[in-house]
Amino acid sequence: MERERIRCAIYTRKSSEEGLSQSFNSLHAQREYCEAYVRSQGGEGWSVVRQRYEDGGFSGANMSRPGLARLLADIDAKLVDAVVVYKVDRLTRSLADFARILERLDQQHVAFVSVTQAFNTSNSMGRLTLNILLSFAQFERDVTGERIRDKIAASKAKGMWMGGVVPLGYDPPDASGDRRLQVNEDEAVTVRSIFERLTQCRSIYDLQQQLMEEGIRSKAGRSRRGIVHPGMPFSRGALRHLLQNKIYIGLISHKGETYAGRHQPIVDQATFDAVQALLSQRSEVWRRRAPNLDRAPLQGRLFDQVGQSMKPVFTRRKGRAYGYYVAPRPHLGLPEASRADAINRVPCRPLDDLIRRRLAELVSGDVQAISTTVLRDAVARVEVHSDRVQVVFSLRALGDGAPHLIQAAACEARLRPGDRREPESRPRHVRGAIPVRLKLRGGRTWVEDHDRRIERAAGRARVSAIRRLRAAHAAMEPARPALASRTDRVFDARKPQGDLRRTEWAFLAPDIQAAILRGRLDRVSIARLQAQTEFQLSWSAQRRLLEPNSASGVEVVSTPTSPTTCL
């Protein structure tokens, strides 16, 4: 009888990148041990899958590892029957992470094997032993982390540079071992110029624009994995961080404490103090001017079509306040930065109302119930384009108020006709595109929402109908006492002298008049009543006129009430 084939996936990991370039490193050694163990179980039907699952230079403290992600994906796809590792801590050093991984393996009926540690996860004693060993592995990692943190704190207290992003104006320490930052003279001139310019223009925004026009960028660098990060134009946040960095006056900061550094300062103390006083003063001014979230609920969530954050700006003209979301000037080199139809300013209120209405329709709620907190929790990102507005909703936040929207498919099914779902990279989020035309007119950006125009037209039609109904009853008021005693005279009122059109609507059925006054009669029904060439006195004929349009919501009232006393 042929034994069932067990497909074994070998996972290997090494925390540091040291030695990975060698022809035979720790990853190769781990795999050889595991392959030898699997071959020893060949009689049980064990075999090694060809796919390699290895992570070189990744810590076991978290789950963000490409090799582990591929392994878990193949497990979910039922391509693996057993996971083989050299030691348990190669898979993870976190007890909580290991418990989640083990639960996932159990759901797919996948075995777990440690070559140098005999474990059988199919019984309770094996699980207990495994958890105890993993607890010691996590304890070892925590102790090692504490030693590293203490060493970094002691070294920084002596003024040493202990790694990180090297600031503009300096180069990394040389090979002498004293861990002293080296001054880069060319970049140091740029840093001194930035400090001096701020004292002259006294505005971070103006300084940012000057640096952008002159092409001055942040420091380029290379990560430990060899990834090159080019210099980027300074944002206001990055510029403020540079101006507040005490490393330029020869100090090293660590956890709120400052120590005398071994490196040479670039900026003198007087200039640095003057810049800090100016920044503190400007911060207080902007704190007073900063708009609250009720006036600009999409602040921090709104971006233009090239990915730049749009900030709220408020102005007042003729005693009325106007708010706009404004994008910065596009950086050179960004895609679509030179497009003529690029939107760089959007009025706050129309855009906020548009997002609120869409959110209310998703959760089947009232627009008035969508508070600023609910809006900011549910909307993760909004991108403005010339022909559409893309909104990224958080399924977690939507599911809290509407459990049926916990899945992206359910959320997509509730999108308004015309809206569409677009790809979204972030999990537990769904992106929808609202076809809205944004265009410049008279120096301002207008939000042309087709649905909103229809709603406004319907509202104007309802107001016009209410006015006409009231005018009809006002015109009938002088004849009301005489008509109250003789109902048959009502029908003879079609032949008086004067303007008959003014009084016709006073003879509408009571339920139709009630629907007009309550705003429940839609624009199509109102147009049908207004388009009558010969007014129908029969209430049943009037109701039949509105029957084809079920959206009017007119409730038929059968009580025989006199048409002259319906209001």
Side-chain angles (χ1 to χ4, degrees):
M1 180 178 177
E2 184 180 357
R3 291 184 177 274
E4 182 182 358
R5 179 171 175 263
I6 299 178
R7 298 163 296 179
C8 300
I10 298 175
Y11 177 78
T12 58
R13 183 186 65 81
K14 187 177 185 297
S15 299
S16 64
E17 297 182 355
E18 183 179 359
L20 290 180
S21 59
Q22 298 176 0
S23 59
F24 187 82
N25 53 46
S26 175
L27 297 178
H28 298 145
Q30 294 177 41
R31 187 169 182 85
E32 281 193 0
Y33 273 105
C34 295
E35 288 178 346
Y37 182 84
V38 173
R39 285 196 298 270
S40 68
Q41 304 296 320
E44 302 293 331
W46 289 32
S47 63
V48 179
V49 298
R50 293 185 178 181
Q51 178 68 36
R52 286 178 173 266
Y53 307 96
E54 56 186 26
D55 288 315
F58 289 89
S59 171
N62 55 64
M63 302 278 286
S64 301
R65 287 170 271 162
L68 180 61
R70 290 196 305 272
L71 174 61
L72 296 177
D74 288 349
I75 290 174
D76 293 337
K78 299 188 180 301
L79 301 178
V80 175
D81 300 317
V83 175
V84 181
V85 296
Y86 177 70
K87 283 186 177 181
V88 179
D89 60 2
R90 297 301 88 192
L91 185 64
T92 179
R93 287 181 177 269
S94 170
L95 184 60
D97 290 343
F98 179 75
R100 285 192 289 268
I101 293 175
L102 199 60
E103 181 180 3
R104 197 163 174 178
L105 296 180
D106 289 343
Q107 290 176 354
Q108 302 297 334
H109 304 288
V110 175
F112 173 73
V113 178
S114 174
V115 174
T116 58
Q117 301 150 332
F119 293 116
N120 182 3
T121 58
S122 62
N123 56 64
S124 57
M125 184 57 67
R127 290 176 181 272
L128 174 62
T129 307
L130 189 61
N131 289 337
I132 291 174
L133 182 62
L134 195 61
S135 298
F136 278 101
Q138 183 173 350
F139 171 74
E140 180 185 0
R141 170 181 167 271
D142 293 341
V143 171
T144 302
E146 291 176 358
R147 290 199 300 264
I148 294 174
R149 287 191 292 269
D150 293 342
K151 175 64 167 57
I152 291 176
S155 299
K156 285 196 171 187
K158 295 181 179 180
M160 298 182 183
W161 174 257
M162 295 305 296
V165 179
V166 178
L168 183 69
Y170 290 98
D171 289 332
D174 54 22
S176 62
D178 62 349
R179 307 197 68 84
R180 185 196 309 267
L181 287 174
Q182 305 298 316
V183 177
N184 186 317
E185 294 298 338
D186 294 336
E187 296 179 357
V189 173
T190 301
V191 172
R192 297 189 189 100
S193 174
I194 291 176
F195 276 84
E196 293 172 0
R197 288 187 181 191
L198 183 65
T199 58
Q200 296 172 2
C201 66
R202 306 182 67 81
S203 170
I204 288 185
Y205 178 79
D206 294 341
L207 176 59
Q208 178 198 21
Q209 298 302 313
Q210 294 178 16
L211 298 179
M212 188 184 306
E213 292 174 356
E214 298 178 11
I216 298 177
R217 298 183 168 229
S218 62
K219 188 179 183 68
R222 181 188 296 270
S223 67
R224 292 185 302 172
R225 298 177 184 173
I227 301 175
V228 177
H229 300 282
M232 297 295 294
F234 280 101
S235 64
R236 276 181 281 180
L239 200 55
R240 176 178 287 273
H241 177 73
L242 183 147
L243 293 168
Q244 293 178 328
N245 196 344
K246 295 182 179 179
I247 202 167
Y248 292 121
I249 55 175
L251 300 178
I252 292 288
S253 300
H254 180 67
K255 295 186 179 300
E257 300 291 337
T258 56
Y259 308 97
R262 296 186 177 184
H263 59 280
Q264 295 295 325
I266 292 179
V267 181
D268 60 89
Q269 187 70 47
T271 302
F272 188 83
D273 293 341
V275 167
Q276 304 315 305
L278 178 60
L279 291 177
S280 177
Q281 176 186 359
R282 300 299 297 176
S283 297
E284 184 63 28
V285 172
W286 279 107
R287 192 176 296 110
R288 293 196 301 267
R289 292 182 181 178
N292 55 38
L293 293 179
D294 291 332
R295 299 173 65 190
L298 296 179
Q299 181 179 3
R301 304 281 197 276
L302 188 64
F303 300 86
D304 64 2
Q305 61 187 11
V306 295
Q308 301 179 111
S309 179
M310 302 183 72
K311 306 296 183 182
V313 175
F314 291 88
T315 184
R316 183 174 293 274
R317 291 193 297 271
K318 297 181 180 180
R320 183 177 179 182
Y322 296 88
Y324 299 91
Y325 293 108
V326 180
R329 185 182 305 173
H331 300 324
L332 296 178
L334 288 178
E336 303 182 1
S338 60
R339 288 187 52 173
D341 61 344
I343 300 299
N344 56 9
R345 184 174 59 178
V346 181
C348 293
R349 179 62 64 83
L351 185 62
D352 297 339
D353 291 345
L354 175 67
I355 305 302
R356 287 182 190 273
R357 291 198 303 272
R358 288 305 194 274
L359 180 58
E361 292 172 1
L362 278 180
V363 299
S364 301
D366 186 10
V367 177
Q368 303 299 328
I370 305 298
S371 64
T372 300
T373 303
V374 173
L375 180 66
R376 291 183 62 83
D377 289 343
V379 177
R381 183 182 179 92
V382 179
E383 295 179 4
V384 175
H385 299 258
S386 59
D387 59 346
R388 66 191 184 280
V389 174
Q390 295 183 351
V391 186
V392 180
F393 294 103
S394 170
L395 293 178
R396 179 193 59 78
L398 292 177
D400 292 341
H404 61 282
L405 296 178
I406 198 66
Q407 298 296 332
C411 186
E412 181 181 8
R414 295 194 60 84
L415 292 179
R416 177 181 293 190
D419 297 356
R420 66 180 185 274
R421 180 184 174 189
E422 295 193 352
E424 173 59 31
S425 58
R426 286 179 292 182
R428 310 297 303 149
H429 288 78
V430 61
R431 179 186 293 261
I434 305 173
V436 175
R437 187 181 179 189
L438 303 176
K439 67 177 185 178
L440 292 172
R441 184 194 305 160
R444 295 197 299 169
T445 306
W446 296 80
V447 180
E448 290 194 349
D449 186 1
H450 177 69
D451 298 328
R452 193 62 170 174
R453 291 201 306 271
I454 294 177
E455 292 177 5
R456 287 197 295 267
R460 289 193 294 267
R462 295 187 185 102
V463 172
S464 176
I466 293 174
R467 289 176 178 174
R468 180 170 177 177
L469 181 61
R470 289 177 176 173
H473 280 275
M476 286 292 298
E477 191 64 27
R480 197 179 299 276
L483 295 176
S485 60
R486 294 288 304 276
T487 306
D488 55 344
R489 292 188 183 183
V490 174
F491 300 97
D492 295 335
R494 289 180 53 83
K495 303 176 183 179
Q497 301 296 325
D499 186 7
L500 301 179
R501 304 285 294 180
R502 294 179 58 192
T503 60
E504 287 178 348
W505 278 29
F507 301 100
L508 288 174
D511 53 317
I512 298 178
Q513 296 192 37
I516 292 175
L517 292 176
R518 295 171 185 170
R520 294 174 51 239
L521 209 62
D522 62 15
R523 189 173 57 164
V524 177
S525 301
I526 294 173
R528 287 177 178 173
L529 290 176
Q530 293 174 338
Q532 295 182 86
T533 58
E534 183 176 352
F535 185 78
Q536 298 290 335
L537 282 174
S538 170
W539 290 351
S540 59
Q542 295 171 7
R543 293 176 182 131
R544 283 196 301 270
L545 182 66
L546 303 181
E547 280 179 0
N549 188 26
S550 59
S552 60
V554 177
E555 297 178 1
V556 178
V557 180
S558 58
T559 305
T561 308
S562 172
T564 61
T565 59
C566 61
L567 288 183

